[in-house]
């Protein structure tokens, strides 16, 4: 309860993070896989001495640079900006734990950007072997960048023994580090193939277009075998509660997981089948549709990954509403008097005359990280049929009824104030009156 | 203005997780990477200024508008790359500032959240606009090219202002609580600060000064292919260079005089280290001007002169960055000091960073030195 709360109307802060993050991860995975694609395409051009394919590679690399260095880089900074606004405490903790890991990642990012700029701007001037070396350097730097970020992301869900040892390496090489790294690496390669198919559709020469489409579709093949296996391995490493959430504990998350798997399967099968059986009919629109499938897969994957981390932002350390817990799972705040913990709240205690206002403030600091009033994950429709007593009762059993929700923190009077506020969303309430 | 005790009650506490190195190391890296970030950032702002002037000159056909157009294309052609490096080099100071000043930084950004976040949208649009102008022929969308350039320039100026505004707000923790109480959804821009206004104008004029030096470097590299064009560039840039220097001097004096007594006295002799840094920065800026002025007719042809001017400009810029940092810390001091961040050395990870940093620089150098075809053939982008 250290920081002020940024109220994002309708959308809520968490969905704002989701929008920016999903768009970024699509491009950032392409940025990694694209390096792999460019390197091997360079080799292919050299071995086959195919000048038309070289032209294709040239235009693909330009598109690739425009997408990754502009949108990818700006949206990457966007994630920094938005997580700092919505979850400053969690961001601060992650920065303190991984500061020099992130600094190392910045160096890889710098090399990656320099490599793609040199590659594209000096494409015609460089010798073929120089280009091949730069493409390899780009790919290595981009993959190492993923290597570092993967450590931070997986730590949030599976911190392992970090909170006991305090060791950077324990935090970084946490239980889900390797399955996530391999899983994401395969996604990168699949995405490289999809975007390769997209740029191939712009080729005027039919023979080269068909060749480029079929060639790009090879990059989807590892996905068929490896993605299900790696996803299963990843699933095996996540905490028990997370497994419950994805297997039925939360209907929404379970549906998203299904959409995620379905869109991945559809994407790979449709792309490969189209490229092999009807390459001439594969238009730019069709490949855009494949990109939509890819976006759906990636978006739902990230939403599921975020969803199964609930009720925490940092597993076993910080709840979604930024309340820290100690190594015994006890909140590091005064739970008998929640309002007194709030540095930025003008109301410090519940009185008979401020129940609604106090309830509003408790809602802001305990619930609004995940719920809005009327927009994303809205509480007004959710509590529409609830009586005042049911609302109060639900608040006292939040984490027991729904394991993915944090418990309510505060005194009986504060719980009643929050219940009154929630009840007032769908009912006319006067201070003191209808609560009785 | 609340007193110190009141300020402390509404400031977020520092993170309890210790940093991996003494805060001074993070401070050093913050200043180093910020100085590196400032160089391309200056070219973006100053480059937009020159590009607009040159484009208008081409449209209304005054002076040697053909050469003006050529210079416009050279500047616009370089800008997307400079923007890439502005963003890339800006990530590191963003990281270190969060590590050192988190409680103030996060709070100030939350207080002006939509404007802070909107910077990304403006940069994105400006970025693609620059590529559009740089990668397409002048015939493409001809009537819209100047408006697109102006929009890109406005985007950069807006972003520079918001970043400066947030930086100033961060230095005013005493106002945090009142702002939070009075505003909704983070709809707030911090403008009521003389230091911010002076500093922002200092940034704008400084960008013209630094860009002038970068354009002179471009002229130097053109001297063999086309000496007349190199002479033109040098003659074109010089008046702006001189004027921006004069404006910088006036703004610098105003900024110095507007500082509170404690900071003013520190820079005027009470603190030997910061007095030296500040006055060295000023002296080096003057030296750049004098050297440039005396060598004005040959600067674009003289390698040693151009190298000296570039190096001295960079050193002057570094001195100014360190002075700004000192002023920032002084303004925060009653409520906050970065040095109080907890730390516990992790030599392994810090060592790995420095090794990777050195390897990264080496790799970029290696890529730049890879062999090119001889003779050069093919199209250029």
């Amino acid at each position: 309860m250290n920081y002020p709360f940024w109220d994002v109307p309708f959308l809520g802060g968490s969905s704002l993070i989701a929008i920016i993050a999903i768009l970024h991860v699509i491009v950032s995975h392409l940025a990694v896989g694209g390096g792999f694609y460019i390197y091997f395409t360079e080799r292919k051009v050299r071995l086959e001495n195919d000048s038309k394919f070289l032209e294709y590679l040239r235009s693909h690399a330009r598109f690739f640079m425009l997408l990754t260095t502009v949108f990818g880089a700006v949206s990457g900074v966007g994630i920094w900006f938005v997580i700092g606004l919505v979850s400053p405490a969690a961001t601060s903790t992650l920065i303190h734990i991984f500061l020099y890991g992130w600094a190392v990642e910045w160096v890889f990012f710098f090399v990656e950007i320099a490599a793609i700029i040199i590659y594209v701007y000096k494409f015609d001037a460089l010798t073929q072997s120089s280009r091949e070396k730069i493409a390899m350097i780009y790919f290595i730097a981009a993959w190492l960048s993923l290597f570092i970020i993967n450590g931070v992301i997986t730590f949030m869900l599976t911190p392992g023994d970090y909170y006991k040892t305090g060791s950077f390496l324990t935090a970084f090489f946490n239980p889900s580090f390797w399955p996530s790294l391999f899983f994401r690496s395969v996604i990168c390669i699949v995405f490289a193939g999809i975007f390769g198919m997209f740029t191939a559709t712009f080729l005027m020469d039919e023979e080269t277009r068909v060749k480029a489409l079929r060639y790009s579709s090879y990059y989807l093949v590892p996905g068929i075998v490896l993605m299900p296996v790696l996803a299963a391995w990843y699933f095996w490493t996540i905490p028990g509660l997370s497994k419950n959430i994805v297997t039925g504990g939360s209907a929404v998350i379970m549906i998203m997981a299904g959409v995620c798997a379905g869109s991945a399967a559809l994407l790979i099968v449709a792309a490969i089948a189209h490229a092999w059986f009807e390459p001439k009919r594969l238009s730019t629109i069709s490949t855009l549709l494949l990109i939509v499938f890819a976006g759906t897969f990636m978006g739902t994957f990230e939403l599921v990954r975020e969803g199964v981390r609930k009720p925490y932002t940092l597993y076993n350390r910080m709840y979604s509403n930024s309340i820290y817990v100690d190594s015994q799972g006890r909140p590091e705040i005064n739970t008998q008097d929640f309002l007194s913990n709030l540095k930025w709240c003008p109301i410090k205690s519940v009185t008979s005359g401020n129940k609604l206002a106090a309830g509003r403030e408790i809602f802001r600091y305990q619930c609004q990280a995940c719920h809005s009033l009327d927009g994303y994950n809205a509480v007004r429709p959710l509590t529409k049929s609830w009586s005042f007593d049911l609302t109060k009762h639900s608040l006292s059993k939040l984490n027991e009824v729904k394991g993915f929700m944090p418990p309510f923190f505060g005194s009986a009077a504060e719980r009643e104030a929050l219940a009154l506020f929630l009840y007032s969303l769908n009912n006319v309430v006067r201070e003191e009156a209808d609560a009785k | 203005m609340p007193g110190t005790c009141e300020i402390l009650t509404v400031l977020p506490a520092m993170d309890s997780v210790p940093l991996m190195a003494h805060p001074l190391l993070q401070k050093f890296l913050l200043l180093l990477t910020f100085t590196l970030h400032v160089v391309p950032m200056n070219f973006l702002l100053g480059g937009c200024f020159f590009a607009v002037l040159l484009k208008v000159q081409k449209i209304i056909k005054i002076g040697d508008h053909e050469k003006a157009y050529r210079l416009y294309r050279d500047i616009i052609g370089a800008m997307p790359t400079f923007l890439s490096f502005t963003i890339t080099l800006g990530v590191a100071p963003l990281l270190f500032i969060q590590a050192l000043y988190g409680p103030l930084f996060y709070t100030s950004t939350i207080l002006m959240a939509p404007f802070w976040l909107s910077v990304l949208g403006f940069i994105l649009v400006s970025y693609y606009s620059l590529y559009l102008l740089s990668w397409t022929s002048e015939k493409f969308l001809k009537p819209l090219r100047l408006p697109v350039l102006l929009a890109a320039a406005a985007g950069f100026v807006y972003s520079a202002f918001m970043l400066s505004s947030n930086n100033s707000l961060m230095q005013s923790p005493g106002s945090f609580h009142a702002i939070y109480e009075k505003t909704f959804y983070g709809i707030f821009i911090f403008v009521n600060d003389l230091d911010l206004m002076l500093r922002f104008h200092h940034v704008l004029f400084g960008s013209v000064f630094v860009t002038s030096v970068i354009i002179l470097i471009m002229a130097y590299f053109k001297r063999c292919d086309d000496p007349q064009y190199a002479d033109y560039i040098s003659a074109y840039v010089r008046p702006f260079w001189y004027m921006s220097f004069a404006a910088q001097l006036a703004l610098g004096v105003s900024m110095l005089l507007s500082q509170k007594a404690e900071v003013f006295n520190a820079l005027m002799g009470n603190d030997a280290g910061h007095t030296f840094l500040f006055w060295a920065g000023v002296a080096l800026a003057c030296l750049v001007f004098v050297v440039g002025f005396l060598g004005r007719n040959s600067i674009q042809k003289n390698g040693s002169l151009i190298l000296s001017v570039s190096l001295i400009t960079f050193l002057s810029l570094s001195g100014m960055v360190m002075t700004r940092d000192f002023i920032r810390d002084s303004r925060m001091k009653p409520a906050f000091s970065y040095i109080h961040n907890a730390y516990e050395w992790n030599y392994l990870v810090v060592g790995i960073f420095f090794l990777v940093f050195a390897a990264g620089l080496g790799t970029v150098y290696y890529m730049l030195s890879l062999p090119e075809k001889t003779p050069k053939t093919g199209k250029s982008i």
Side-chain angles (χ1 to χ4, degrees):
Chain A
M1 314 293 62
N2 213 1
Y3 288 95
F5 181 82
W6 179 35
D7 192 348
V8 184
F10 194 75
L11 274 179
S14 54
S15 45
L16 195 60
I17 293 181
I19 292 167
I20 297 177
I22 287 170
L23 291 173
H24 174 72
V25 291
I26 294 168
V27 177
S28 62
H29 282 71
L30 164 69
V32 179
F36 185 80
Y37 182 90
I38 289 175
Y39 172 71
F40 280 99
T41 312
E42 273 287 353
R43 280 173 56 98
K44 178 181 169 65
V45 166
R46 171 166 56 84
L47 294 171
E48 296 175 4
N49 198 21
D50 185 340
S51 61
K52 285 182 181 170
F53 219 75
L54 182 66
E55 266 311 297
Y56 160 67
L57 179 59
R58 188 178 188 276
S59 58
H60 176 80
R62 289 183 69 178
F63 163 79
F64 178 74
M65 189 182 90
L66 274 181
L67 190 60
T68 57
T69 62
V70 183
F71 188 81
V74 176
S75 59
V77 178
I79 293 183
W80 276 106
F81 275 36
V82 77
I83 61 171
L85 293 172
V86 175
S87 299
T91 309
S92 171
T93 299
L94 283 175
I95 284 184
H96 277 246
I97 295 172
F98 290 106
L99 179 60
Y100 280 86
W102 251 316
V104 167
E105 194 274 336
W106 166 70
V107 178
F108 294 136
F109 176 51
F110 177 73
V111 173
E112 185 185 331
I113 294 290
I116 192 66
I117 287 175
I118 295 169
Y119 181 84
V120 170
Y121 273 87
K122 296 176 91 176
F123 192 91
D124 295 309
L126 288 166
T127 62
Q128 203 281 333
S129 117
S130 298
R131 277 205 315 267
E132 209 172 296
K133 284 174 188 156
I134 292 174
M136 176 52 99
I137 289 170
Y138 172 86
F139 168 62
I140 292 171
W143 187 79
L144 287 172
S145 182
L146 169 70
F147 184 89
I148 303 287
I149 294 296
N150 177 64
V152 180
I153 293 171
T154 51
F155 167 81
M156 292 170 77
L157 176 62
T158 55
D161 289 334
Y162 170 75
Y163 296 119
K164 287 179 194 157
T165 64
S167 151
F168 173 87
L169 294 178
T170 310
F172 189 79
F173 294 107
N174 60 76
S176 62
F177 176 86
W178 293 110
S180 169
L181 179 69
F182 291 126
F183 185 62
R184 286 181 184 275
S185 299
V186 175
I187 294 173
C188 293
I189 295 169
V190 169
F191 277 25
I194 295 292
F195 278 87
M197 290 170 80
F198 172 71
T199 50
T201 60
F202 290 94
L203 291 170
M204 301 306 284
D205 177 62
E206 190 176 280
E207 191 191 337
T208 316
R209 187 169 70 243
V210 169
K211 186 177 170 183
L213 281 169
R214 285 189 171 154
Y215 167 74
S216 300
S217 72
Y218 292 144
Y219 287 79
L220 279 79
V221 174
I224 298 174
V225 185
L226 294 175
M227 276 169 71
V229 176
L230 292 169
W233 181 18
Y234 196 171
F235 179 77
W236 185 63
T237 62
I238 65 175
L241 175 59
S242 305
K243 285 178 185 153
N244 288 343
I245 291 173
V246 83
T247 51
S250 162
V252 175
I253 299 294
M254 193 172 72
I255 291 168
M256 273 194 208
V259 172
C260 175
S263 52
L266 198 61
L267 163 75
I268 293 173
V269 171
I272 293 176
H274 229 61
W276 280 90
F277 298 114
E278 286 189 316
K280 290 177 189 171
R281 290 180 62 192
L282 193 56
S283 64
T284 305
I285 301 291
S286 319
T287 51
L288 274 175
L289 201 61
L290 293 175
I291 291 173
V292 171
F293 284 147
T296 308
F297 157 68
M298 199 73 232
T300 47
F301 169 68
E302 293 297 341
L303 288 173
V304 169
R305 188 182 58 74
E306 289 286 319
V308 300
R309 209 171 57 224
K310 289 187 184 302
Y312 298 102
T313 298
L314 303 176
Y315 218 85
N316 290 338
R317 178 67 185 128
M318 183 194 284
Y319 282 117
S320 311
N321 49 21
S322 297
I323 293 173
Y324 284 99
V325 289
D326 64 16
S327 56
Q328 308 300 314
R330 290 178 304 228
E332 290 182 353
I333 57 165
N334 173 8
T335 54
Q336 288 314 303
D337 191 4
F338 179 71
L339 285 165
S340 69
N341 296 285
L342 304 177
K343 283 187 175 173
W344 302 87
C345 176
I347 298 173
K348 297 296 175 196
S349 62
V350 180
T351 64
S352 58
N354 76 356
K355 279 190 178 174
L356 274 179
R360 176 71 184 88
E361 291 300 322
I362 296 167
F363 176 77
R364 188 196 305 275
Y365 286 95
Q366 280 206 39
C367 317
Q368 227 175 328
C370 303
H371 293 280
S372 68
L373 288 179
D374 296 296
Y376 172 75
N377 208 7
V379 286
R380 198 190 300 273
L382 197 72
T383 58
K384 196 171 184 178
S385 57
W386 292 12
S387 67
F388 177 69
D389 285 338
L390 176 62
T391 312
K392 225 166 45 167
H393 178 75
S394 299
L395 289 176
S396 64
K397 307 272 180 199
L398 269 183
N399 55 322
E400 293 168 33
V401 177
K402 291 178 176 175
F404 52 82
M405 288 195 63
F408 172 80
F409 299 107
S411 63
E414 287 171 334
R415 192 169 70 236
E416 192 168 310
L418 176 58
L420 188 65
F421 171 72
L422 293 174
Y423 185 68
S424 76
L425 297 174
N426 294 295
N427 302 277
V428 179
V429 169
R430 283 176 288 128
E431 293 280 358
E432 283 286 77
D434 288 10
K436 303 294 176 188
Chain B
M1 177 100 174
T4 306
C5 293
E6 199 177 334
I7 290 172
L8 288 173
T9 59
V10 291
L11 263 190
M14 283 181 170
D15 207 291
S16 59
V17 179
L19 293 168
M20 290 182 199
H22 192 286
L24 278 175
L25 181 63
Q26 274 85 241
K27 171 66 95 172
F28 165 74
L29 291 168
L30 168 66
L31 295 176
L32 173 72
T33 54
F34 184 72
T35 310
L36 295 173
H37 160 75
V38 159
V39 176
M41 185 273 281
N42 271 297
F43 183 75
L44 279 183
L45 288 169
C48 281
F49 169 77
F50 281 109
V52 169
L53 283 184
L54 292 159
K55 180 74 182 167
V56 170
Q57 189 178 341
K58 166 73 179 164
I59 291 171
I60 59 177
K61 298 191 190 311
I62 48 167
D64 190 346
H65 57 86
E66 288 308 321
K67 284 204 177 72
Y69 171 67
R70 191 172 160 195
L71 181 55
Y72 160 79
R73 290 296 304 182
D74 283 342
I75 292 172
I76 279 291
M79 283 179 75
T81 304
F82 274 82
L83 180 50
S84 280
F85 286 107
T86 305
I87 294 173
T88 313
L89 293 169
V91 169
L94 180 67
L95 177 67
F96 291 116
I97 206 159
Q98 288 181 81
L100 291 177
Y101 298 94
L104 299 183
F105 176 81
Y106 295 123
T107 307
S108 63
T109 53
I110 290 168
L111 294 178
M112 52 181 290
F115 300 100
W116 174 249
L117 204 53
S118 68
V119 163
L120 297 161
F122 279 92
I123 290 179
L124 195 62
V125 172
S126 298
Y127 207 152
Y128 278 118
S129 302
L130 285 183
Y131 267 118
L132 176 84
L133 296 171
S134 160
W135 279 16
T136 56
S137 107
E138 286 297 309
K139 288 174 188 158
F140 181 72
L141 294 175
K142 194 174 178 182
L144 292 177
R145 291 183 85 85
L146 182 60
V148 167
L149 174 61
L150 287 170
F156 291 132
V157 173
Y158 172 86
S159 305
F161 181 77
M162 286 305 159
L163 296 173
S164 302
S165 170
N166 179 63
N167 196 279
S168 289
L169 178 56
M170 200 176 122
Q171 297 167 32
S172 314
S175 62
F176 285 176
H177 206 261
I179 295 168
Y180 187 60
E181 291 275 296
K182 286 177 192 159
T183 55
F184 298 96
Y185 309 122
I187 299 174
F188 172 77
I189 304 175
F190 188 68
V191 286
N192 192 18
D193 183 38
L194 176 65
D195 187 66
L196 164 65
M197 291 305 162
L198 291 171
R199 189 157 50 85
F200 180 61
H201 285 94
H202 202 257
V203 167
L204 293 182
F205 284 104
S207 71
V208 175
F209 185 81
V210 173
T211 305
S212 303
V213 174
I214 295 173
I215 294 176
L216 284 171
I217 298 171
M218 281 168 62
Y220 172 74
F221 285 105
K222 303 277 181 192
R223 77 197 185 284
C224 296
D225 292 344
D226 191 344
Q228 280 183 333
Y229 177 51
D231 292 345
Y232 170 82
I233 295 176
S234 175
Y236 184 87
V237 157
R238 278 199 309 263
F240 297 104
W241 195 25
Y242 301 156
M243 281 189 282
S244 59
F245 175 76
Q248 285 290 79
L249 211 57
L251 283 164
V253 171
S254 313
M255 283 170 76
L256 180 64
L257 294 174
S258 72
Q259 298 305 321
K260 58 183 181 181
E262 189 189 325
V263 175
F264 180 85
N265 291 334
L267 296 176
M268 297 300 283
N270 277 9
D271 179 333
H274 289 106
T275 300
F276 171 77
L277 278 176
F278 172 62
W279 287 105
V282 174
L284 289 171
C286 295
L287 186 63
V288 172
F289 176 74
V290 172
V291 170
F293 184 76
L294 293 176
R296 60 190 175 281
N297 294 323
S298 59
I299 190 164
Q300 71 279 12
K301 299 169 197 155
N302 189 332
S304 330
L305 199 57
I306 208 86
L307 185 66
S308 312
V309 164
S310 311
L311 276 178
I312 301 170
T313 305
F314 184 76
L315 289 174
S316 169
L317 205 60
S318 311
M320 292 306 170
V321 165
M322 285 188 265
T323 303
R324 271 308 316 168
D325 181 71
F326 165 69
I327 295 172
R328 173 173 58 195
D329 286 348
S330 304
R331 284 170 62 122
M332 291 172 178
K333 216 168 196 173
F336 184 91
S337 173
Y338 75 92
I339 209 82
H340 294 139
N341 274 290
Y343 71 96
E344 210 171 89
W345 277 99
N346 186 330
Y347 294 106
L348 175 71
V349 182
V350 175
I352 289 173
F353 164 69
F354 280 103
L355 278 177
V356 170
F357 187 55
L361 291 178
T363 306
V364 173
Y365 175 77
Y366 169 76
M367 287 191 290
L368 288 170
S369 63
L370 278 171
E372 295 187 9
K373 288 174 192 163
T374 47
K376 286 182 184 177
T377 55
K379 291 175 274 184
S380 63
I381 286 175

